[in-house]
Amino acid sequence: MLTALKPGVARALAYDSERGWNRVAYCLFVNHLAEIAAAIADRHPGAADQLEADLWNRAHGVLAAFASDHGWPAQLRAVLAGVPLPAKANLRLRWARGADREATYLNVLNPLSEQAIGWGRRVASPC
């Protein structure tokens, strides 16, 4: 699909596999799911911690079912096993006035890990 584009344009749209995974994992797990879990939990202040833990447990189950249905891809196995999640270093990027594709990623706590489930209570969201 990118072959129809000018080489400079195609390069700007393409990512190597590690950078692509970091971008997708950050957007899905850290940026979106963490925000959703926190927003829902915040609506119930008296039960926020347990509700957020329950939401992360449910997300773990959904992700595990998806991974099972798709042959247990290595990256999803790693997320479910507890590897840290990538978080984009936006502040560094903005100070450097860099393009989004130049972003670096930092590791953050993974609330989807099997270890977190084993604690009986899930850890809070990674942000």
Side-chain angles (χ1 to χ4, degrees):
M1 178 160 50
L2 296 179
T3 57
L5 301 173
K6 292 181 181 180
V9 174
R11 271 193 308 280
L13 297 174
Y15 291 88
D16 62 50
S17 62
E18 179 182 0
R19 189 168 289 283
W21 169 253
N22 282 342
R23 188 167 169 82
V24 168
Y26 163 72
C27 288
L28 176 60
F29 300 119
V30 177
N31 211 15
H32 296 314
L33 288 180
E35 286 295 322
I36 291 168
I40 292 170
D42 286 350
R43 292 192 53 112
H44 306 280
D49 289 344
Q50 187 58 50
L51 180 56
E52 192 168 1
D54 293 344
L55 291 167
W56 282 111
N57 279 329
R58 178 72 176 130
H60 182 278
V62 170
L63 186 61
F66 179 87
S68 176
D69 291 347
H70 292 86
W72 290 100
Q75 290 163 319
L76 295 183
R77 280 195 323 265
V79 167
L80 292 166
V83 299
L85 296 173
K88 188 165 55 170
N90 278 321
L91 185 58
R92 286 184 188 174
L93 183 66
R94 300 303 173 239
W95 278 348
R97 299 189 192 281
D100 195 60
R101 68 177 300 101
E102 298 169 5
T104 57
Y105 291 84
L106 309 170
N107 291 330
V108 297
L109 183 65
N110 178 351
L112 293 165
S113 71
E114 292 174 353
Q115 291 172 324
I117 290 170
W119 295 337
R121 262 189 101 185
R122 299 299 307 264
V123 296
S125 65
C127 297

